[in-house]
Amino acid sequence: PLIAIMPSPLLTYYSAWFCPYAHRATIALSHHAASVSYKWVEALGWEKRPSEDANTRAQTGEPEHDSYYHWKHPDLLRITDGEGLIPTFQDEKGRVVKESLMAVEYVDDLASAVGDPATRNTPLLPADPAERARCRWAAEWANKKMCSPYYTMLVRTDVDERRRAFDELLESLAWWGSQRQGTFYCGDTLSAADIAPLPWAARYYILEHYRNFVIPRDDAQLAGFHEWRDAALALPTVASTLPDRDRYLDHIAKYADASARSKVANAVRSGRGAHDLQEDD
């Protein structure tokens, strides 16, 4: 029988080149480039002004300086009721999809619904319900265990706290590498579980640059993690999305010197994980 193929709707993708949360959606779009069309709107940036809340959160030892605050695209603020988080998608009917892990699933579901089977890339979520649930659980786990510690090591000023976060990260990386069901977490093709920590894994070089924390390559317990990371970063659909290293190091310095006042930075400055945002951050 003939299979009806729906035309791919054009999405408006509100993003930012530097944001690893948005990078998740960017990888999903790159993976499904044959099926999902979109236009990119650079919707987040920085402006420097006198600090409005220096040392008012649960942290001491921050240097006194002007700080960097986000400016947000007015259309992004309008369609998200002032929240302005990225990634955010808006379809041609005006419907909005946000939150990075949901955005990855949305792109995957859209590719399945409208993509030509002859050119459509492999799905990012397994069809089997139990495996699909495992994949979703792993994405949430990675968000807390492999992504949030990145900001603890950058933003927190207590050196012992940073070291504990790094040691816990190493344990998480070893566990992640041991749980793979193939080259990647869910098998031999990229999945939503892999995309969850991948933007941070691609940026772990900042830990050595700013904190002298080195993820060893000669540790047998980390061999699985390095195999996973190397394979993922070698995929053309991933490699083409990576930010320039020097440009990113310059950007992330705002977090390393405690001058960033993003919602993530403020959550971490308040003693919470980067995944635990609150309305007043």
Side-chain angles (χ1 to χ4, degrees), residues 1-263:
L2 295 176
I3 299 175
I5 298 176
M6 300 168 59
S8 173
L10 178 65
L11 301 175
T12 301
Y13 175 37
Y14 294 94
S15 189
W17 72 267
F18 54 80
C19 178
Y21 293 98
H23 193 184
R24 288 169 169 165
T26 302
I27 294 172
L29 287 167
S30 179
H31 183 83
H32 283 308
S35 302
V36 179
S37 59
Y38 67 96
K39 63 176 181 180
W40 179 299
V41 176
E42 190 72 13
L44 206 62
W46 296 95
E47 55 187 17
K48 192 173 186 178
R49 60 179 188 261
S51 297
E52 300 168 357
D53 63 349
N55 292 327
T56 61
R57 293 177 180 265
Q59 169 159 264
T60 59
E62 293 184 356
E64 295 294 334
H65 48 43
D66 289 351
S67 294
Y68 289 89
Y69 296 82
H70 276 317
W71 65 260
K72 299 179 179 183
H73 196 286
D75 289 344
L76 174 65
L77 291 172
R78 176 179 54 81
I79 67 173
T80 60
D81 296 322
E83 186 178 40
L85 295 180
I86 56 172
T88 293
F89 288 115
Q90 185 177 39
D91 71 8
E92 291 176 311
K93 296 181 180 180
R95 297 174 297 186
V96 172
V97 175
K98 54 186 181 179
E99 300 293 341
S100 60
L101 296 179
M102 294 181 195
V104 170
E105 290 197 30
Y106 171 64
V107 171
D108 196 51
D109 288 341
L110 195 58
S112 178
V114 305
D116 184 341
T119 58
R120 187 170 59 219
N121 207 345
T122 54
L124 295 171
L125 286 162
D128 179 82
E131 291 302 316
R132 194 176 182 91
R134 176 180 178 270
C135 182
R136 283 175 167 159
W137 180 88
E140 293 285 357
W141 182 91
N143 189 50
K144 296 175 182 178
K145 299 292 189 178
M146 296 171 68
C147 307
S148 287
Y150 173 95
Y151 297 103
T152 301
M153 287 177 271
L154 279 175
V155 175
R156 299 298 292 174
T157 55
D158 185 280
V159 294
D160 292 332
E161 188 176 1
R162 292 174 184 169
R163 182 72 217 189
R164 287 194 299 272
F166 181 64
D167 290 342
E168 290 171 3
L169 174 65
L170 293 181
E171 292 178 3
S172 296
L173 299 185
W175 184 89
W176 180 263
S178 71
Q179 297 299 303
R180 295 175 301 150
Q181 294 185 341
T183 303
F184 300 109
Y185 192 84
C186 295
D188 289 327
T189 60
L190 194 71
S191 73
D194 301 298
I195 291 176
L198 190 51
W200 287 264
R203 292 164 167 80
Y204 282 158
Y205 55 79
I206 66 98
L207 301 178
E208 179 177 4
H209 186 88
Y210 285 110
R211 296 293 180 253
N212 202 30
F213 290 151
V214 180
I215 299 173
R217 291 198 69 99
D218 58 354
D219 186 332
Q221 291 186 318
L222 295 173
F225 162 74
H226 285 296
E227 290 171 1
W228 167 83
R229 180 183 181 276
D230 293 346
L233 296 183
L235 294 173
T237 52
V238 173
S240 62
T241 69
L242 300 177
D244 176 78
R245 180 186 177 108
D246 290 339
R247 188 185 183 199
Y248 187 75
L249 284 170
D250 181 64
H251 153 75
I252 205 66
K254 302 174 185 65
Y255 288 79
D257 70 6
S259 62
R261 293 295 185 266
S262 67
K263 290 183 78 68

